[in-house]
Amino acid sequence: MLKEILLQVEKPARYIGNEINMVVKNPEEVDVRIAFCFPDVYEVGMSHLGLQILYYFFNRRSDTYCERCFAPWYDMEEKMREQNIPLFALETGDELKKFDFVAFTLQYEMSYTNILNMLDLAGIPIWACERGEDMPIVIAGGPCAYNPEPLAEIVDIFYIGEGEVSYDEFLDIYKEIKARGGSKEEFLERCLEIDGIYVPKFYDVTYKENGEIESFTPNHPKAKKKIKKVIVKDMNTAFYPEKQLVPLIETVHDRVTLEVFRGCIRGCRFCQAGYVYRPVREKSCEKLLGLADSLIKNSGHEEISLTSLSTGDYREFSKLANGLIDNYAKDSVSISLPSLRIDAFSLDLMEKVQAVRKTGLTFAPEAGTQRLRDVINKGITEEEILNGCALAFAGGWNRVKLYFMVGLPTETDEDLLGIVNLANAIVEKFFEIPKEERKGRPIAVTVSSSCFVPKPFTPFQWAAQSTVDEFMRKQKYVKTNMTRKQVKFNYHEPELSSLEGAVARGDRRTGKVLYRAWQLGAKFDSWSELFKYDAWIQAFEDVGVKKEFYANRERSYDEILPWDHIDIGVTKKFFIDEMERAKAETVTLNCRQNCASCGAAQFGGGVCFE
Amino acid sequence: MSKNTNFKYRLEFSKTGRMIFIGHLDTLQLFHRAIKKAGIRIAYSQGFNPHQLTTFAVPLALGVESVGEILDIQLVEKMDCEEIKNRLNEATPLDIEILQVIELENSSENCASSVRFADYCVSLDGQYEKVSSVVQEILESDEILIERTVKKKTKTVDIRPLIKSLTVDKDGEKTEIYANIATGSKANLKIDVLIEYIYNKLGLEFRFEKVDILRGTLYTEHEGDLLPLCLEEEFM
Ligand code: SF4
């Protein structure tokens, strides 16, 4: 039956597992079964580093079998519903209902409807309160778990922080309770002892008349007032897999991924990742070269990519990059170095690793004027960009990609024009090289502009997001002024960003909107061909909450924010100071230049103690 | 062009179970990775975009099982055949199994140009008598004309000469059709075309996804005889 269906859907390999390095265990012989669920299609989920790490982390325990499950594409979903095939995990093909844990990773808010859809396809009730003892426990972690509230009535347990820290204790407790026939309730209560674990049912929320949160209080004596994230202190001794799952079909990234460090020293004020992963913790160069070796040997990949939020900030970067080139260039293994600052050194390096192909240069100024870049604390100047381009053009590059955001706090039309001016200045730079040296190559500048979404745990968490209409006007304004034929302008449709803005800073009531939107057919929202904006608008209306309340309202510093009970180590006071500095257009130096005492030093490691 | 100093090997492998959902190009990619993972020193082509020197005899359609796939590889060093087989079996996923590895003469023609015929076994529910009579009819005909639409043009082709042998067997409730048909660049008959023809004769609707097809040995032709592609030289 499954064969028949699989031969009728697009890319059947999405549903069969069996990749190189897949873990095979006998489910009868383990105590705990985990279905690690990524709420998007296979190709997207398989490119995600966190999945690769946790998969082997869980499976290194002989008492645990962690399998994978991805959101079936709609053609497959249709067949599954038609034939009553419940959602299954790839390794054993067993349905999710048989598992002890169904664990979702929350990478972006606009994948939430897929979580609901996956639970439903698995025959698991969506609301936590409707799931009895016979149902799996639903857990969730990942970057979006830092504001767990929109999913608080759906997910049983949130894991706040890095998985390597508390999951062993978590599984040990579960195993012990399961062995003696204890209840789910008992387990949830015991979870209150574990660091980094948040069990929403043990907290009550009340609201004021105006819709703001009035109180958020534990309703269980053991429930902590604040749940502090857990993080790995020493990246050199932390678990990291020596192999990787190697997909059988092309995925978004088909390569070995080497995580160089966690966190970011920079403190761009719009960037949630930059704050929630603080402080920066690096792996040593020796450790990384060793890992690279095992990963390449064990996967057969012909590309290795260094990842982290800003790879060029790695202290031993040149040693690492040259080490990799020395070790692998002769073996036809290519090295990809995303997110580098463009200067003489990096260009030289790119030349070395990219052989002859000169792919485009990428810059992310994010804002068009120096004033606005100071507001968002994006430490890149026009001069740096232009100098980088000049060097690159002289070296034979001729394509430049620029990333911007519109709708940033304090933005004016002048800042928007700045986007146009910067793109034009780059074109001018190109024409400064003598004609004979251009070798007939045309210059192509692509400007991509996205819509700013204020996120929890950033200094902009109190800011109002632009409305859909405002975004439209701004994008159009940039577009009309972007007249040079060498510059191509792409912009994101604002509807999706606007919903993201509402969900990202949502509270428990937002969960009902998710549910209603899903009922009305929303899923795969981040896939433009499947995105149903109208369903969402209808959902807000049906549930009786306002999207504007979440997305477009400026909050005051003393308002209780839905995520205030989560503690990322960086203090609220620091965020308030940063917001004030933003308004004053004052730059904050990065961690290595001058520690701003953000609070993350309390974890006792990383850059704070370098 | 400089003389090819690589060492040539031929692999015969099976692709069954879950692996039938992996298409031709993905299977090639899978082998490229498995070869690297196995630490086998494969030779690369020259030029801007060097690629591994590997050649498949003939693509296998998605959904078809096989116990006779052939892959030729070129190595930069000599290796023991058993060693290649064992290392690759360690590196490939379940449901791909290397059955046999032989060393080829440096001058031998690659599998893609030498393949001529393939064995197939197609299994369907019941209908033994009816199928037998259709098969008999086919074998007795001098020509079997079918309409093929290629690039919007319909043409009539005679598939009879492309069928080397055709027999029917009974396995419990199942009826099994064994076919040996032309395969490769010189002359090629797709197994589903033949099966669809038989189904039409039976008055049944042919749905590819409902039929179990297994490909067996691939053959080359040597002085009028069929010889398995993966056969030690001394047997030739
Ligand atoms: S405490 Fe200082 S060094 Fe540590 S993360 Fe915060 S700002 Fe950076």
Side-chain angles (χ1 to χ4, degrees):
Chain A
M1 177 58 91
L2 201 55
K3 175 193 157 191
E4 261 181 70
I5 289 177
L6 288 176
L7 287 177
Q8 294 176 70
V9 299
E10 192 190 315
K11 303 189 187 168
R14 285 168 168 168
Y15 312 104
I16 60 161
N18 212 32
E19 302 87 342
I20 293 180
N21 295 330
M22 180 180 92
V23 176
V24 180
K25 291 186 187 185
N26 181 351
E28 307 282 313
E29 286 167 9
V30 298
D31 301 305
V32 187
R33 295 186 71 182
I34 303 172
F36 190 106
C37 300
F38 195 103
D40 209 322
V41 284
Y42 178 86
E43 300 93 296
V44 175
M46 283 297 286
S47 303
H48 179 245
L49 178 63
L51 176 147
Q52 299 269 2
I53 298 178
L54 284 174
Y55 180 72
Y56 292 108
F57 178 80
F58 286 132
N59 278 319
R60 85 193 200 293
R61 293 175 62 113
S62 57
D63 60 359
T64 303
Y65 192 9
C66 174
E67 304 183 38
R68 291 159 300 144
C69 180
F70 301 88
W73 191 239
Y74 67 87
D75 58 347
M76 182 66 174
E77 177 185 347
E78 198 179 297
K79 299 273 177 218
M80 288 169 71
R81 292 201 187 269
E82 223 171 79
Q83 312 279 351
N84 282 316
I85 299 173
L87 189 61
F88 53 89
L90 300 191
E91 276 72 3
T92 55
D94 284 345
E95 61 171 307
L96 259 48
K97 248 197 240 170
K98 285 194 182 167
F99 285 71
D100 298 282
F101 294 104
V102 167
F104 286 97
T105 175
L106 312 178
Q107 296 298 319
Y108 27 91
E109 291 82 1
M110 298 319 287
S111 66
Y112 288 179
T113 51
N114 279 2
I115 296 179
L116 276 62
N117 201 39
M118 286 170 81
L119 288 172
D120 185 62
L121 266 170
I124 298 172
I126 289 170
W127 298 110
C129 63
E130 289 171 11
R131 293 192 293 265
E133 289 288 334
D134 56 328
M135 284 292 165
I137 295 171
V138 177
I139 54 184
C144 294
Y146 288 100
N147 176 16
E149 292 308 290
L151 293 170
E153 288 172 344
I154 292 167
V155 169
D156 294 305
I157 298 170
F158 288 91
Y159 186 107
I160 311 294
E162 294 167 356
E164 299 94 330
V165 184
S166 288
Y167 268 131
D168 276 333
E169 182 187 356
F170 180 90
L171 294 175
D172 288 342
I173 293 176
Y174 177 79
K175 193 173 126 178
E176 183 248 316
I177 293 176
K178 186 183 175 186
R180 60 174 163 75
S183 68
K184 177 161 150 185
E185 189 65 20
E186 185 188 349
F187 176 64
L188 293 180
E189 286 183 23
R190 286 286 300 281
C191 280
L192 296 173
E193 300 163 12
I194 310 173
D195 291 336
I197 301 292
Y198 167 52
V199 187
K201 70 177 278 193
F202 295 127
Y203 298 81
D204 293 324
V205 199
T206 60
Y207 302 94
K208 296 183 193 166
E209 203 121 316
N210 67 3
E212 292 172 18
I213 293 172
E214 182 179 57
S215 69
F216 187 96
T217 36
N219 62 27
H220 189 285
K222 275 163 59 192
K224 301 176 195 103
K225 270 199 112 105
K226 283 210 166 214
I227 297 94
K228 190 188 284 187
K229 80 173 180 198
V230 285
I231 58 163
V232 167
K233 223 174 169 178
D234 180 359
M235 292 294 288
N236 288 320
T237 51
F239 172 84
Y240 197 79
E242 307 245 318
K243 53 187 170 188
Q244 250 180 241
L245 284 155
V246 184
L248 301 174
I249 50 170
E250 196 182 316
T251 59
V252 178
H253 299 304
D254 280 314
R255 58 199 189 190
V256 156
T257 327
L258 200 56
E259 187 189 28
V260 180
F261 60 85
R262 286 191 188 156
C264 181
I265 56 169
R266 303 224 158 241
C268 299
R269 292 184 178 125
F270 54 85
C271 179
Q272 187 187 41
Y275 294 107
V276 297
Y277 295 131
R278 279 190 181 208
V280 163
R281 290 146 292 146
E282 294 184 338
K283 282 184 195 152
S284 72
C285 188
E286 286 68 47
K287 173 87 186 170
L288 287 168
L289 289 172
L291 276 175
D293 217 45
S294 332
L295 284 165
I296 287 176
K297 279 207 182 102
N298 294 330
S299 70
H301 273 302
E302 296 191 323
E303 183 179 343
I304 183 162
S305 166
L306 303 183
T307 68
S308 51
L309 291 167
S310 168
T311 307
D313 288 333
Y314 180 53
R315 282 179 300 164
E316 297 176 280
F317 181 67
S318 98
K319 189 170 156 201
L320 176 64
N322 286 312
L324 291 173
I325 292 170
D326 290 348
N327 293 351
Y328 305 114
K330 58 179 187 309
D331 288 337
S332 310
V333 173
S334 66
I335 299 159
S336 91
L337 304 166
S339 65
L340 282 194
R341 310 196 136 229
I342 309 296
D343 53 28
F345 166 71
S346 64
L347 283 172
D348 179 52
L349 203 63
M350 282 159 72
E351 191 112 20
K352 274 195 217 155
V353 301
Q354 291 181 330
V356 273
R357 251 176 300 138
K358 287 194 171 150
T359 45
L361 293 175
T362 304
F363 296 92
E366 309 291 1
T369 58
Q370 197 55 48
R371 185 200 72 80
L372 192 53
R373 283 194 292 274
D374 289 346
V375 169
I376 62 174
N377 208 39
K378 181 85 202 186
I380 184 170
T381 62
E382 179 152 343
E383 201 188 334
E384 279 173 70
I385 297 172
L386 292 177
N387 288 345
C389 286
L391 276 171
F393 292 152
W397 270 270
N398 62 331
R399 279 188 293 146
V400 181
K401 255 195 225 156
L402 298 170
Y403 290 98
F404 292 97
M405 283 189 277
V406 302
L408 289 163
T410 77
E411 176 194 76
T412 63
D413 282 0
E414 200 179 311
D415 299 307
L416 297 174
L417 273 186
I419 298 177
V420 179
N421 294 339
L422 185 53
N424 290 346
I426 291 174
V427 175
E428 294 300 336
K429 257 284 164 293
F430 182 80
F431 288 120
E432 276 173 25
I433 5 179
K435 205 164 187 169
E436 39 317 332
E437 281 169 39
R438 284 184 231 147
K439 302 182 188 107
R441 294 171 293 124
I443 165 86
V445 177
T446 307
V447 173
S448 288
S449 130
S450 61
C451 301
F452 171 61
V453 180
K455 290 281 168 95
F457 296 112
T458 65
F460 296 154
Q461 63 182 351
W462 293 281
Q465 189 189 22
S466 298
T467 63
V468 169
D469 290 343
E470 284 161 1
F471 275 133
M472 297 262 218
R473 187 196 71 78
K474 291 174 179 187
Q475 301 279 31
K476 280 218 180 93
Y477 182 73
V478 179
K479 195 179 163 66
T480 1
N481 284 288
M482 203 73 92
T483 49
R484 287 200 78 128
K485 68 174 192 303
Q486 296 89 348
V487 183
K488 194 172 159 227
F489 181 64
N490 296 326
Y491 63 95
H492 288 244
E493 300 292 338
E495 288 84 358
L496 187 69
S497 308
S498 174
L499 289 175
E500 190 186 327
V503 178
R505 291 187 293 170
D507 54 30
R508 285 198 184 183
R509 294 167 295 187
T510 324
K512 306 229 168 23
V513 180
L514 291 176
Y515 185 77
R516 185 69 190 132
W518 166 74
Q519 276 188 322
L520 293 167
K523 60 190 164 201
F524 285 109
D525 298 297
S526 48
W527 293 76
S528 56
E529 69 266 44
L530 299 182
F531 178 46
K532 289 187 174 155
Y533 186 58
D534 294 347
W536 279 91
I537 296 306
Q538 177 79 44
F540 276 103
E541 218 160 85
D542 291 355
V543 173
V545 304
K546 287 205 153 31
K547 177 165 142 276
E548 297 71 28
F549 175 82
Y550 296 101
N552 315 115
R553 181 174 62 93
E554 184 176 340
R555 283 89 165 151
S556 75
Y557 291 144
D558 49 25
E559 180 175 334
I560 298 177
L561 301 172
W563 51 91
D564 271 354
H565 56 291
I566 304 295
D567 178 4
I568 64 159
V570 179
T571 61
K572 197 169 192 173
K573 180 180 170 300
F574 173 78
F575 284 132
I576 293 173
D577 289 349
E578 278 296 292
M579 183 61 180
E580 290 305 314
R581 289 170 75 93
K583 288 181 192 158
E585 299 167 13
T586 309
V587 163
T588 297
L589 296 177
N590 76 44
C591 293
R592 291 213 174 96
Q593 291 166 318
N594 181 29
C595 165
S597 303
C598 72
Q602 63 180 286
F603 294 105
V607 64
C608 326
F609 297 89
E610 272 170 11
Chain B
M1 211 180 140
S2 65
K3 190 179 171 300
N4 183 341
T5 54
N6 297 329
F7 298 87
K8 294 184 176 175
Y9 294 87
R10 176 161 295 167
L11 277 48
E12 186 177 40
F13 68 94
S14 64
K15 183 167 175 271
T16 54
R18 300 195 206 185
M19 295 308 288
I20 66 171
F21 301 108
I22 305 302
H24 177 62
L25 289 175
D26 291 326
T27 307
L28 189 63
Q29 173 74 269
L30 160 67
F31 267 95
H32 287 169
R33 287 181 179 150
I35 286 167
K36 279 232 140 185
K37 182 170 168 13
I40 292 172
R41 295 190 55 211
I42 191 85
Y44 282 82
S45 65
Q46 306 294 315
F48 268 178
N49 252 325
H51 58 266
Q52 295 188 7
L53 293 175
T54 52
T55 314
F56 268 114
V58 56
L60 184 70
L62 209 70
V64 177
E65 287 197 293
S66 175
V67 290
E69 290 310 282
I70 299 287
L71 178 73
D72 285 355
I73 60 175
Q74 300 191 26
L75 308 187
V76 296
E77 64 184 5
K78 203 171 163 67
M79 243 180 115
D80 177 60
C81 290
E82 275 302 293
E83 173 93 21
I84 297 179
K85 181 176 132 179
N86 295 337
R87 284 214 219 160
L88 272 178
N89 275 332
E90 279 281 304
T92 47
L94 298 171
D95 297 341
I96 291 251
E97 198 192 339
I98 317 301
L99 306 167
Q100 208 194 152
V101 177
I102 60 169
E103 193 174 348
L104 301 177
E105 293 282 325
N106 187 279
S107 59
S108 29
E109 200 181 20
N110 77 37
C111 55
S113 29
S114 41
V115 63
R116 294 285 179 278
F117 290 92
D119 280 338
Y120 283 94
C121 170
V122 181
S123 141
L124 43 143
D125 290 327
Q127 313 263 3
Y128 176 72
E129 273 75 31
K130 278 199 199 162
V131 175
S132 299
S133 66
V134 173
V135 163
Q136 202 52 38
E137 209 178 292
I138 293 175
L139 292 174
E140 283 163 8
S141 329
D142 292 333
E143 60 170 22
I144 294 173
L145 298 177
I146 58 159
E147 305 251 291
R148 299 290 292 144
T149 313
V150 186
K151 289 177 193 153
K152 283 184 189 157
K153 270 189 214 152
T154 309
K155 59 176 186 176
T156 308
V157 280
D158 178 13
I159 62 168
R160 182 63 189 90
L162 305 176
I163 304 168
K164 188 98 179 169
S165 76
L166 194 61
T167 54
V168 190
D169 205 355
K170 203 168 165 176
D171 180 17
E173 289 298 292
K174 293 270 177 193
T175 299
E176 288 177 336
I177 304 171
Y178 292 91
N180 183 280
I181 56 179
T183 301
S185 51
K186 281 219 165 135
N188 193 62
L189 172 59
K190 282 163 106 183
I191 185 67
D192 43 316
V193 171
L194 175 61
I195 301 304
E196 184 167 13
Y197 176 81
I198 296 176
Y199 267 64
N200 288 343
K201 284 275 166 189
L202 292 168
L204 295 173
E205 183 207 7
F206 174 69
R207 297 261 306 273
F208 181 75
E209 68 273 8
K210 285 187 181 285
V211 183
D212 289 325
I213 306 176
L214 172 75
R215 182 151 84 187
T217 307
L218 297 175
Y219 301 88
T220 187
E221 208 168 17
H222 185 69
E223 294 169 358
D225 290 331
L226 296 199
L227 285 179
L229 271 179
C230 199
L231 190 68
E232 296 278 5
E233 306 266 336
E234 61 235 52
F235 296 112
M236 286 187 114

